[in-house]
Amino acid sequence: MERPIVLLSGGFDPYHDGHAKMFSRAAEIGDICVILNGDKWLINKKGKAFMNLTQRADVLNTVKGVEWVWHSQTMDDVSGDIEEISKHIGFKHRFLMFGKGGDRNVSNTPEQAICEKLSIPVMFGVGG
């Protein structure tokens, strides 16, 4: 039986110990697909990007358990990316889960609605 795919999203700029804990826990559950927010998203969120998209993707591709890095094109939440991933031939027949770190919950996770629509469970507090 194939392992589930755990979707993790964020800017990961820079990748830090909290991210490492989240990725480590997610890797225990399944194969990781990172939905990586773009440089414009980071600039909009915090005024600049510490590392560009290519650098962040390179770092994430070295993390144990990361099988795919999906480059998000959105300036908002990643609901559209989750929907596209669920339709993508490489993911279509795999069990998907959406993981969020310790600072997220139902009230501040806009992707909750698309996950409910697509029957994708959302796990909060992944990695503490």
Side-chain angles (χ1 to χ4, degrees):
M1 182 174 176
E2 287 186 290
R3 289 166 41 92
I5 297 171
V6 180
L7 305 173
L8 300 176
S9 68
F12 306 107
D13 184 48
Y15 182 81
H16 58 68
D17 62 332
H19 297 141
K21 290 174 186 169
M22 181 174 68
F23 278 70
S24 178
R25 177 65 184 118
E28 292 172 2
I29 297 166
D31 299 329
I32 299 171
C33 174
V34 180
I35 303 171
L36 184 59
N37 294 106
D39 296 339
K40 288 181 183 177
W41 182 89
L42 283 169
I43 292 165
N44 188 49
K45 179 181 178 184
K46 59 184 190 176
K48 65 177 181 172
F50 176 69
M51 296 187 298
N52 68 39
L53 179 76
T54 302
Q55 292 168 320
R56 291 180 287 121
D58 287 347
V59 168
L60 293 171
N61 274 313
T62 69
V63 175
K64 183 179 179 182
V66 172
E67 299 293 329
W68 307 273
V69 175
W70 178 280
H71 295 197
S72 178
Q73 302 299 314
T74 186
M75 287 299 291
D76 299 312
D77 65 73
V78 296
S79 296
D81 296 291
I82 293 171
E83 191 163 23
E84 285 302 310
I85 289 168
S86 74
K87 296 175 188 175
H88 190 278
I89 194 67
F91 301 99
K92 193 172 181 178
H93 302 292
R94 300 272 304 268
F95 181 71
L96 299 175
M97 306 170 81
F98 186 54
K100 297 304 288 179
D103 62 342
R104 297 294 172 166
N105 57 54
V106 173
S107 67
N108 65 4
T109 301
E111 297 87 359
Q112 182 77 31
I114 193 67
C115 288
E116 288 176 8
K117 176 184 171 189
L118 299 173
S119 299
I120 296 173
V122 180
M123 303 175 302
F124 294 103
V126 179

